[in-house]
Amino acid sequence: MTFLAHGIGGVRDLPVPAWLFFWGAALVLVVSFVLLGALWRRPLLDRHAEGRAVAGRLSRLVLSRALRVALQALSAGLLALVFAAALVGDTDPFRNLAPTWVYVIFWLGLPFLSALLGDVWRVLSPWRAVADAAVWARERSGREARPLAAYPEQLGRWPAAVLLFAFAALELAYSDPSSPRALAFAIALYSYVTWFGFAAFGREAWSERGEAFAVLFGLFARIAPFAAREGRLVLRWPLTGLAGRDAVPGTVAFLAVMLGTVGFDGFSRASAWQDLLADVEGPYVLENTGLADLLVSGVNLLGLVAFVGLVAGAYLLACAAARSLVNAPRSLVPDFLLGLVPIAFVYLVAHYFSLFVIQGQFAIPLLSDPFGKGWDLLGTADYVPDLAPFSPNTVWYVQAGSLVAGHVAGLAVAHDRAVALFRERDAALRSQYAMLALMALLTVGGLWLLSRG
């Protein structure tokens, strides 16, 4: 059911041609680049990264153990409910809670929550909740809870990149991604891998490097104006959490998966790709539907790999060009990498915010009847979602505006790193020429993909 995997759009009757939006977006980036060069002459993000402490009472409440345990119990219960619904509930994805919860509430809601409030996944992760409870029970019995091995530093975030790509492949390449039974298998497999990682390497190490959603939401949380520091809640300027460099192996691959898979989702809706899929499955769709589905999934998987590779290649090429322009003694890849985080976030916003608002409403009646048995547990089974909360033109304006704003933010993060890295102002500006070209390419490319949907 593609309605669960794609945003909801429609025919647009824009007041100006679409190409003017493309040129306008590129012009905004150029103007932003000039203003950053003229006004942003010393690093600012790192200076304000610590933030200031929030009032003690509010900080204690938000970070209290009681609230954490309550939220963890709720999240673990929801995981059990969603898994049970996927495993034994109605096979119709419109009548089963699991597809809407996984692809809409979880996959789209948590990034918004993380970018707004900070690292909420640390508390809301049901897998972390179960692991915390297991460690607590073991320690209460007088036994020591410690990991089986040290996490290999050279692995970096590669496990998280592979797991995130696997989730994207299920959503965008598999022939029936909203099948509750397929989701039950995926939940069980991911749970096994996650709990094995916690047991083998420890909760902190696996969360920071191997657990795909912890890494994803953790990166988005660095955009947020809130953070926890030494047991205190602090308020900081947005984006300051992205200051500095990130040299953890596998981070380029992880961010490429974040951007490339969403880009492929947009491209997969274009008529050219749909025609290709029709040509691939056409000879077999009547006589051998299993083979037809397998071929379509294979082609979509190749498309995913290609888009991820294109994003990674474009970023590495831009960093190589920047290094050449300033004769840097080492690679600049770790230095500008975090500038891609706000871009990855706005790609999610642009592609999926309408899906989140519209399809997310269906979670209200589904929570009353998660298994599709005709129940009304919460009294909301008769809730009727509003399927047209905004016009197609409004959707387009939000998409275009968010894409441009996110790329300007990415440019600002990269520029802040450049002025921290190079003492000479001319060298800092030259290092950003390639970044400007990359941001313009991603912006115009993102708008083009949205216009094809």
Side-chain angles (χ1 to χ4, degrees):
M1 294 293 179
T2 56
F3 83 98
L4 288 171
H6 303 298
I8 297 172
V11 177
R12 305 179 186 91
D13 183 19
L14 298 174
V16 296
W19 63 266
L20 277 180
F21 278 91
F22 303 159
W23 280 104
L27 180 60
V28 169
L29 286 176
V30 172
V31 172
S32 300
F33 177 82
V34 173
L35 292 176
L36 286 171
L39 303 176
W40 198 320
R41 301 194 176 195
R42 65 180 188 275
L44 300 176
L45 296 182
D46 193 50
R47 292 175 53 193
H48 299 285
E50 290 300 318
R52 60 183 181 84
V54 176
R57 182 176 298 178
L58 178 61
S59 182
R60 287 192 298 272
L61 173 63
V62 171
L63 300 179
S64 68
R65 182 178 181 182
L67 180 60
R68 175 173 60 84
V69 170
L71 290 174
Q72 286 188 318
L74 177 62
S75 68
L78 282 170
L79 175 64
L81 174 65
V82 172
F83 176 69
L87 187 64
V88 300
D90 198 306
T91 57
D92 182 354
F94 291 96
R95 292 170 52 81
N96 192 302
L97 173 66
T100 295
W101 191 267
V102 171
Y103 289 127
V104 181
I105 305 302
F106 166 73
W107 177 235
L108 305 182
L110 263 298
F112 293 130
L113 208 58
S114 300
L116 179 64
L117 299 179
D119 193 12
V120 295
W121 185 243
R122 186 178 182 86
V123 174
L124 296 181
S125 168
W127 297 287
R128 179 68 180 255
V130 173
D132 285 350
V135 169
W136 177 84
R138 185 176 179 86
E139 291 178 343
R140 289 279 292 182
S141 68
R143 293 175 293 175
E144 184 181 5
R146 60 179 181 179
L148 302 176
Y151 187 82
E153 287 300 318
Q154 64 271 21
L155 275 183
R157 294 190 175 108
W158 279 105
V162 171
L163 289 171
L164 186 65
F165 182 85
F167 177 81
L170 170 66
E171 182 189 13
L172 303 175
Y174 181 55
S175 59
D176 191 9
S178 56
S179 163
R181 301 300 181 261
L183 281 174
F185 176 78
I187 292 170
L189 181 60
Y190 190 84
S191 298
Y192 174 80
V193 170
T194 302
W195 286 325
F196 178 83
F198 285 156
F201 305 113
R203 290 165 293 169
E204 294 299 332
W206 190 251
S207 294
E208 293 174 1
R209 298 289 188 266
E211 209 264 275
F213 300 119
V215 175
L216 176 71
F217 302 144
L219 287 172
F220 287 150
R222 298 173 76 164
I223 299 173
F226 298 100
R229 295 273 190 274
E230 299 177 352
R232 297 184 304 167
L233 183 68
V234 299
L235 181 65
R236 64 188 183 184
W237 286 103
L239 302 178
T240 52
L242 298 172
R245 67 198 300 262
D246 193 315
V248 178
T251 307
V252 173
F254 189 87
L255 284 164
V257 171
M258 291 167 64
L259 281 162
T261 53
V262 178
F264 172 75
D265 185 17
F267 181 73
S268 67
R269 286 176 269 169
S271 57
W273 188 259
Q274 293 298 316
D275 290 343
L276 173 62
L277 295 181
D279 291 340
V280 169
E281 70 175 346
Y284 311 99
V285 70
L286 296 178
E287 299 179 358
N288 193 337
T289 55
L291 178 59
D293 288 342
L294 184 62
L295 289 172
V296 168
S297 295
V299 172
N300 280 328
L301 191 62
L302 289 175
L304 273 174
V305 172
F307 264 75
V308 171
L310 284 173
V311 172
Y315 176 73
L316 293 175
L317 182 62
C319 289
R323 181 182 182 183
S324 176
L325 287 171
V326 296
N327 295 317
R330 60 169 178 81
S331 171
L332 299 177
V333 169
D335 293 288
F336 302 134
L337 192 52
L338 294 178
L340 296 180
V341 173
I343 299 171
F345 176 70
V346 296
Y347 261 55
L348 276 175
V349 172
H351 282 264
Y352 300 127
F353 90 95
S354 59
L355 171 66
F356 178 70
V357 173
I358 296 172
Q359 184 61 32
Q361 298 175 69
F362 284 89
I364 299 174
L366 287 171
L367 280 169
S368 270
D369 186 20
F371 296 88
K373 303 294 185 181
W375 302 341
D376 190 8
L377 301 175
L378 303 179
T380 60
D382 294 328
Y383 176 82
V384 179
D386 180 3
L387 298 181
F390 27 59
S391 69
N393 276 7
T394 301
V395 174
W396 171 253
Y397 291 134
V398 172
Q399 290 173 330
S402 61
L403 272 180
V404 173
H407 285 80
V408 170
L411 199 61
V413 171
H415 178 80
D416 184 81
R417 180 58 187 162
V419 294
L421 200 59
F422 304 106
R423 293 185 177 181
E424 296 182 3
R425 180 167 171 267
D426 288 345
L429 290 177
R430 287 199 308 274
S431 73
Q432 293 305 288
Y433 293 157
M435 292 298 113
L436 173 63
L438 176 65
M439 300 300 178
L441 175 65
L442 292 175
T443 303
V444 175
L447 289 172
W448 181 83
L449 289 173
L450 288 170
S451 71
R452 301 298 94 190

